[in-house]
Amino acid sequence: MLATEVCGEGPPVLLAHGTMGSHAVWAPIRRRLSRERRLILIDLPGMGSSPMVPDAHVPAAWVDAIGEALDAVGAPCPAVVGHSMGGWTALELAKRGRASSVLALAPAGMWVRSPRAADFSLRLGWLMAKAAPPWLVARALGVPSVRRLALRDASVDGRSVPAAWARSLVADARRSRSE
């Protein structure tokens, strides 16, 4: 079963994060959204606290596992908001009739660069997050220019991302079993 958290009241909205992340990425908007919506925050397969899904490395293969999580919380067909890999996931859920509506923010697969260049950049970032000592990562992310470089695939300008949040994002990448 995928790691899922539910909060708020109102029509259900599934929030799906990007590659190597977790549902924690939605923290800056969670409180505001949960005032009028029932939020379903999920960690995608192999990311955050969710286990890998056997033989499933792309969102099309995740729909059944996500569908089980949605059924378990009584929201079989919510609105879905997804960023990056979460955006692709949202579109796959819609194709299978598991989304009442979709907002796909910069969905994966729509890269300006070639897919190979994007994959290489993401894999390199994941390997660096895994290899670097945690104390070094924490210290380095305190420097705005390092945040800009470290978050180049996740943010327009990582310098504007608070250091504590950048540390949380990199910690999610370190825990990710999905590359």
Side-chain angles (χ1 to χ4, degrees):
M1 183 63 117
L2 300 180
T4 306
E5 187 177 335
V6 179
C7 64
E9 299 292 329
V13 177
L14 170 67
L15 299 178
H17 60 81
T19 300
M20 296 184 286
S22 77
H23 73 273
V25 74
W26 301 105
I29 61 172
R30 177 182 174 161
R31 182 178 295 160
R32 179 179 286 162
L33 290 177
S34 66
R35 290 181 196 145
E36 297 183 22
R37 300 287 184 264
R38 180 173 176 230
L39 299 182
I40 304 156
L41 300 116
I42 195 164
D43 287 346
L44 295 174
M47 298 177 228
S49 297
S50 286
M52 292 290 290
V53 174
D55 300 319
H57 300 286
V58 295
W62 301 345
V63 173
D64 290 337
I66 294 169
E68 288 175 17
L70 293 173
D71 292 342
V73 299
C77 193
V80 182
V81 176
H83 170 253
S84 190
M85 189 66 81
W88 181 1
T89 301
L91 296 171
E92 293 293 342
L93 287 164
K95 279 175 40 180
R96 296 266 297 271
R98 297 300 306 242
S100 62
S101 61
V102 166
L103 174 58
L105 303 165
M110 311 249 176
W111 301 282
V112 173
R113 298 179 277 175
S114 74
R116 285 189 179 164
D119 285 348
F120 175 78
S121 180
L122 286 169
R123 184 163 172 72
L124 180 62
W126 181 75
L127 290 170
M128 288 172 56
K130 291 270 197 192
W135 66 267
L136 179 61
V137 171
R139 188 170 195 168
L141 290 172
V143 178
S145 59
V146 173
R147 286 197 305 277
R148 182 178 187 193
L149 178 63
L151 301 176
R152 71 189 176 284
D153 289 323
S155 175
V156 171
D157 186 354
R159 294 176 297 189
S160 65
V161 175
W165 195 31
R167 290 180 186 107
S168 175
L169 294 171
V170 172
D172 282 343
R174 289 176 66 90
R175 285 191 300 273
S176 177
R177 289 156 312 281
S178 178
E179 44 183 282

